[in-house]
Amino acid sequence: DLFWENIDFDKLSSTLYGDIHFFDVGCGAGDYGSYLKKLSKNQFGSYTGLDINKNERFPNDFTHVLSDAAFAAEYVPEHTNFVMSQSALEHIEEDLRTVETITEKLVSYKKPFIQIHVVPARLSLWLYLLHGWRQYSAANLGTLFGSLSAKYNLEVYAVPLGGRHSFISHLLRITLPSMIFKKKINHQNLNRKFSDAVVRDLKNSHSKFNTFWVCVIASSGVDPGLNWDD
């Protein structure tokens, strides 16, 4: 969540030339709709969530699409300029094709856009055990998104999230107690300890212990306003 909170939505909106219209692939209960509406404030335009099931908690003031994520491109509204997924691509067997078709649809609208997909790195296998179809590395992300840059003249890059301290903290305080010893975890009590670990990792942004990747696909000139060096 620290990542999403550090997007400069004012700057992003200015490079998208208007309000931000989100399309969330694998939206679950739609929690990110409310979260992103709060973060983007006056720049919020709309939120559409797609999932194979509709959670009973999905907010009534947002749009829900009931579909397998493999067919997401068919449902991307024309006003969409921000496609996102949070730990969802690894659950899509044909993840490459899904991202390609979504990109093709956005390009066909001939408007600036950005996609941000947060996916698990290889070390997340130790934290979440069997989770989805795959984890991602710099190598397979290059295969997954590299061709889109050349084909559509897009800006494509991946940034690591997490580090050694965050990894160890999660492993010892969540994975082992909950998955191995079946203990109930009180996440509220862990916030302070995890915050300390995250801050320590932020001082070493090139750690090989990243547990997630932030994958960005954007039209030329579209800027989420993040200082990646920090």
Side-chain angles (χ1 to χ4, degrees):
D1 286 350
L2 283 174
F3 162 73
W4 295 108
E5 290 172 8
N6 278 280
I7 292 178
D8 186 335
F9 286 100
D10 288 335
K11 185 172 186 178
L12 177 58
S13 176
S14 69
T15 59
L16 291 172
Y17 303 111
D19 292 341
I20 303 174
H21 297 276
F22 299 94
F23 186 88
D24 186 358
V25 181
C27 65
D31 294 333
Y32 272 93
S34 302
Y35 185 48
L36 292 169
K37 183 177 182 179
K38 177 182 178 181
L39 293 179
S40 57
K41 300 178 182 176
N42 294 334
Q43 311 306 330
F44 180 82
S46 65
Y47 173 87
T48 300
L50 178 145
D51 206 289
I52 196 168
N53 298 301
K54 185 174 183 180
N55 191 291
E56 61 182 14
R57 294 193 294 108
F58 190 89
N60 292 327
D61 52 338
F62 299 143
T63 301
H64 187 277
V65 175
L66 193 66
S67 172
D68 189 304
F71 305 106
E74 299 176 16
Y75 300 98
V76 177
E78 189 169 355
H79 60 256
T80 301
N81 53 16
F82 193 133
V83 170
M84 64 160 290
S85 68
Q86 172 70 52
S87 301
L89 285 189
E90 69 270 22
H91 296 285
I92 305 172
E93 185 174 5
E94 297 293 333
D95 54 352
L96 172 58
R97 183 57 185 159
T98 298
V99 173
E100 283 179 336
T101 55
I102 289 173
T103 303
E104 289 168 1
K105 177 60 73 72
L106 291 171
V107 168
S108 74
Y109 292 150
K110 299 181 179 179
K111 296 184 297 185
F113 66 86
I114 188 169
Q115 295 185 61
I116 296 180
H117 301 282
V118 181
V119 297
R122 286 179 172 175
L123 278 181
S124 70
L125 180 61
W126 293 93
L127 301 182
Y128 301 98
L129 305 184
L130 297 178
H131 178 78
W133 288 88
R134 64 191 62 78
Q135 291 77 41
Y136 296 84
S137 65
N140 63 23
L141 286 175
T143 301
L144 185 62
F145 298 122
S147 62
L148 297 177
S149 176
K151 186 174 182 179
Y152 297 112
N153 190 31
L154 300 171
E155 296 180 7
V156 179
Y157 46 94
V159 180
L161 286 186
R164 178 167 59 91
H165 299 97
S166 303
F167 171 77
I168 293 173
S169 225
H170 193 293
L171 181 66
L172 296 180
R173 301 181 191 279
I174 294 181
T175 304
L176 292 178
S178 65
M179 295 187 177
I180 305 300
F181 301 109
K182 306 301 180 182
K183 292 183 179 180
K184 187 175 181 179
I185 304 298
N186 186 331
H187 291 271
Q188 292 293 331
N189 293 338
L190 294 178
N191 284 347
R192 175 69 180 274
K193 295 174 182 177
F194 271 108
S195 294
D196 291 342
V198 169
V199 169
R200 294 175 73 183
D201 285 331
L202 286 173
K203 297 177 181 178
N204 183 21
S205 59
H206 301 291
S207 170
K208 295 181 180 180
F209 282 82
N210 66 296
T211 48
F212 287 91
W213 294 96
V214 174
C215 305
V216 180
I217 305 169
S219 303
S220 180
V222 172
D223 186 357
L226 287 156
N227 188 340
W228 295 109
D229 292 333
D230 290 342

